[in-house]
Amino acid sequence: MHPTTYTSQLDELHDEALLEEFRQGNAMAFEELYKRFWGVLYLQAYRILVQEDDAKDVVQEVFITFWSKAATIEISGSVAAYLYVATRNRVLNLLASKRTYQTHLSSLKHFLADTHNNSLQYITEKEITARMEQEIHALPAKMREVFELSRKTALTHKEIASKLQLSQETVKKQISNAIRTLRHKMAHFSFFL
């Protein structure tokens, strides 16, 4: 059978039949599901994230997971509902990780703002920045690498984890530990001044 004819037959199948074909190893059935749902899932993610790249990444991750779980995937409702929920969950996870990162940064900024008392008025911003860089450099190597990637790039925790071959949880913990360490060191610095 000619591939074009076969593809047009897949076009006519309902979602659940395509899923069954996909479970049996038919890559063209996956491609058809991808074509059917990519656009609506992207719009769903984009409406919440308002960032094209983030929305594309979320949908791509949903389909990668969908592809990798082909044989074991269990869907109680429709394929559409499964993909919508998977997309929504990924969007929520992304928002939570961004919020956590922003919370850490905000916490560090508040700490630095709070330390500007009378004894710190003589210290220039340049000296504080130099001291902060010195303390960052003194962090353990892996912690420093994770922390610097998080503050100097727009990478998400997941992207940092992938780049460094770590779990997302390890990345979050390393960033949190780095900020805690820096707050402690900077508190000592301001105390001795």
Side-chain angles (χ1 to χ4, degrees):
M1 183 179 291
H2 193 276
T4 308
T5 308
Y6 186 66
T7 303
S8 66
Q9 287 178 345
L10 288 175
D11 289 350
E12 297 168 11
L13 291 177
H14 58 82
D15 299 341
E16 283 64 33
L18 276 173
L19 177 62
E20 197 49 47
E21 287 278 326
F22 171 48
R23 279 187 172 140
Q24 294 172 15
N26 184 339
M28 292 176 88
F30 173 81
E31 288 176 27
E32 180 59 31
L33 287 167
Y34 184 90
K35 281 194 305 191
R36 283 185 192 183
F37 291 104
W38 190 93
V40 290
L41 296 177
Y42 169 78
L43 289 174
Q44 177 189 6
Y46 182 76
R47 261 198 312 269
I48 300 166
L49 297 171
V50 198
Q51 293 289 328
E52 276 186 44
D53 289 342
D54 286 348
K56 286 177 185 174
D57 288 348
V58 161
V59 176
Q60 201 63 26
E61 288 169 17
V62 166
F63 277 108
I64 288 169
T65 303
F66 191 57
W67 172 268
S68 65
K69 293 183 176 181
T72 59
I73 208 164
E74 297 209 13
I75 298 177
S76 56
S78 69
V79 175
Y82 174 86
L83 291 172
Y84 288 140
V85 169
T87 301
R88 184 199 64 207
N89 290 344
R90 291 234 183 237
V91 165
L92 293 175
N93 288 343
L94 180 61
L95 290 173
S97 71
K98 285 187 175 195
R99 248 193 317 274
T100 301
Y101 175 67
Q102 290 304 323
T103 300
H104 286 318
L105 284 183
S106 175
S107 166
L108 190 55
K109 284 178 187 172
H110 285 307
F111 167 76
L112 290 174
D114 290 345
T115 61
H116 282 290
N117 56 29
N118 291 336
S119 65
L120 286 180
Q121 66 186 346
Y122 302 107
I123 300 173
T124 66
E125 188 176 321
K126 185 177 176 184
E127 289 170 318
I128 292 175
T129 302
R131 180 57 186 232
M132 179 66 89
E133 288 303 320
Q134 183 181 354
E135 294 301 341
I136 289 170
H137 188 70
L139 291 171
K142 188 55 76 175
M143 185 186 292
R144 182 177 67 243
E145 186 178 16
V146 170
F147 182 75
E148 289 193 325
L149 277 173
S150 76
R151 79 179 189 142
K152 292 180 178 175
T153 68
L155 296 176
T156 65
H157 287 181
K158 182 171 185 158
E159 291 166 335
I160 293 170
S162 175
K163 183 179 179 90
L164 300 179
Q165 297 180 335
L166 300 170
S167 72
Q168 284 187 64
E169 200 52 45
T170 299
V171 168
K172 286 181 191 176
K173 192 170 186 174
Q174 291 283 27
I175 291 170
S176 179
N177 289 344
I179 289 171
R180 190 177 309 115
T181 300
L182 292 172
R183 288 172 88 182
H184 179 72
K185 297 281 189 177
M186 292 305 287
H188 281 10
F189 175 63
S190 62
F191 174 79
F192 287 114
L193 295 168

